[in-house]
Amino acid sequence: MAVETRGLVKAFGPVPAVCEVDLAVDRGELLAVLGPSGCGKTTLLRLIAGFERPGRGEVLVGDRLVAGDGVFVAPEQRRIGMVFQDYALFPHLTVERNVAFGLPRRERGRGRARGAARAQTALELVGLQHKAERLPHELSGGERQRAALARALAPGPELVLLDEPFSSLDASLRADLRREVELILRDAEATAVLVTHDQEEALSLGDRLAVMREGRIVQLGPPEEVYARPADRWTAGFLGEVNLIAGMCRRGGAVETWLGVFDSPGAAAGRVDLAVRPEQLDLRLDRAVNAEVVEREFRGHDVLYRLRHEVGGSLLVQLPSLELYEVGAQVHVRPAAAAVASVVD
């Protein structure tokens, strides 16, 4: 296990920030921690890094207790690399010297040649070896973030922590850098914990996804599982647009609703509420009209429609932008082929 927390608790005065968090991250895994502002995700990262002391509970890094039970290991002794939102590069040092600054002190003094070699290796890993002598202000935002990642990786850490690393970048650069950082971490066989409030970022990067709310992890699992089978209404809505539809579950997981029949494997018989994603619905120009398009949001690769349904009221439907329906169009809405919806509390 690369990192583990057991019953981790942290409060600032009367305000609880992290509440009884149990978490284990395997070696080589990339865990994404997702949640709204103030949910405790950055505090959790700081507790793992050693920038905060837990009020209660334990933190283990590489099977070594680093916090708890009277033990507190300083951040620089935890073998953890940290990538900050604002890069935290020294403006007066070259890129190479910034990267070397993350190495042990002995490799920045007498062993400077060895330190320079390790810094160069880290820069090659992130594709910045040709800019080793530049100053941070001479780099683009994406290059500065890659330099910060190189500094975190240079010492060969047990764990890399990334705190909202892409939030200061524009949308197109953010998407490109996301892919680059994932490849770099995979090539380095690094274990990483990424904190973000961006759903797309968390879903696309994490091997597993931990959703936090009010200091607690409310759901943990593979991103596709968390998205498709959210634990509750709040998680369903936080991860993207959703329709909540009442229905009656029969034996075998078939749920009958006013919109049609959905499969919901494992659902108990009786009245249920389904979380139906907009992409799980389909539109047709059909004689059996049951809805009207009242809003249309064109998003390039897809279109989000808001409908007024004759029975269910407001409804969201997401379709590819190959065929457009105008506002005011009379349409028939139904479950998409093989749509599987999740029961939520």
Side-chain angles (χ1 to χ4, degrees), residues 15-339:
V15 181
V18 172
C19 307
E20 300 289 347
V21 169
D22 295 315
L23 188 63
V25 183
D26 291 329
R27 296 184 190 279
E29 182 181 19
L30 201 167
L31 176 75
V33 180
L34 174 69
S37 297
C39 73
K41 57 187 185 296
T42 293
T43 300
L44 174 61
L45 212 66
R46 292 176 62 83
L47 287 165
I48 294 172
F51 300 144
E52 301 284 352
R53 290 176 179 262
R56 192 168 71 248
E58 298 177 337
V59 178
L60 293 89
V61 176
D63 302 322
R64 178 173 66 122
L65 184 67
V66 295
D69 195 25
V71 173
F72 186 78
V73 176
E76 64 272 16
Q77 297 174 351
R78 294 192 181 193
R79 295 200 60 208
I80 289 177
M82 188 85 184
V83 180
F84 299 93
Q85 178 179 342
D86 59 357
Y87 320 126
L89 298 172
F90 295 106
H92 63 290
L93 297 181
T94 65
V95 170
E96 182 182 297
R97 291 184 65 193
N98 263 287
V99 172
F101 194 86
L103 296 170
R105 188 179 297 275
R106 64 181 178 275
E107 294 188 21
R108 290 182 275 137
R110 294 179 182 176
R112 187 171 178 180
R114 183 184 175 194
R118 291 184 67 177
Q120 191 65 22
T121 299
L123 286 172
E124 289 172 5
L125 185 64
V126 302
L128 286 180
Q129 65 274 18
H130 58 296
K131 296 193 175 181
E133 298 306 315
R134 300 280 182 89
L135 293 172
H137 76 269
E138 297 177 293
L139 304 180
S140 68
E143 288 170 337
R144 287 196 291 272
Q145 196 58 283
R146 281 191 279 149
L149 181 58
R151 180 181 58 192
L153 291 171
E158 193 80 33
L159 176 69
V160 178
L161 304 177
L162 302 101
D163 186 12
E164 302 273 9
F166 313 115
S167 60
S168 61
L169 305 172
D170 63 65
S172 60
L173 180 58
R174 193 160 61 236
D176 290 340
L177 188 60
R178 232 176 18 223
R179 289 190 291 271
E180 289 181 18
V181 167
E182 181 182 12
L183 289 173
I184 291 166
L185 291 171
R186 303 291 185 200
D187 287 346
E189 298 181 346
T191 306
V193 177
L194 164 78
V195 155
T196 180
H197 66 275
D198 186 299
Q199 291 87 343
E200 184 178 334
E201 196 169 284
L203 289 167
S204 64
L205 280 177
D207 296 314
R208 285 190 301 156
L209 173 62
V211 181
M212 285 193 73
R213 183 187 185 194
E214 296 177 351
R216 300 181 185 276
I217 293 178
V218 295
Q219 192 167 1
L220 174 66
E224 55 273 19
E225 178 182 301
V226 177
Y227 180 79
R229 292 186 286 279
D232 53 33
R233 294 167 184 258
W234 181 87
T235 305
F238 184 69
L239 286 174
E241 291 98 350
V242 68
N243 300 293
L244 295 174
I245 298 175
M248 177 65 73
C249 184
R250 307 301 183 187
R251 289 183 178 179
V255 181
E256 298 174 0
T257 75
W258 47 263
L259 193 55
V261 178
F262 291 86
D263 286 332
S264 187
R271 293 193 176 277
V272 297
D273 287 331
L274 291 181
V276 179
R277 298 291 180 190
E279 63 269 23
Q280 294 175 314
L281 299 176
D282 196 12
L283 293 183
R284 288 289 183 269
L285 293 174
D286 194 298
R287 289 182 180 179
V289 169
N290 60 14
E292 178 187 358
V293 176
V294 294
E295 291 180 26
R296 186 180 80 179
E297 182 183 338
F298 181 75
R299 304 192 293 195
H301 51 76
D302 61 51
V303 185
L304 183 67
Y305 297 96
R306 184 176 296 276
L307 309 180
R308 184 184 298 115
H309 193 274
E310 62 185 14
V311 176
S314 183
L315 203 62
L316 293 173
V317 178
Q318 179 182 314
L319 297 174
S321 56
L322 300 175
E323 182 179 358
L324 297 177
Y325 295 90
E326 300 295 333
V327 172
Q330 303 296 305
V331 294
H332 179 72
V333 58
R334 63 186 182 182

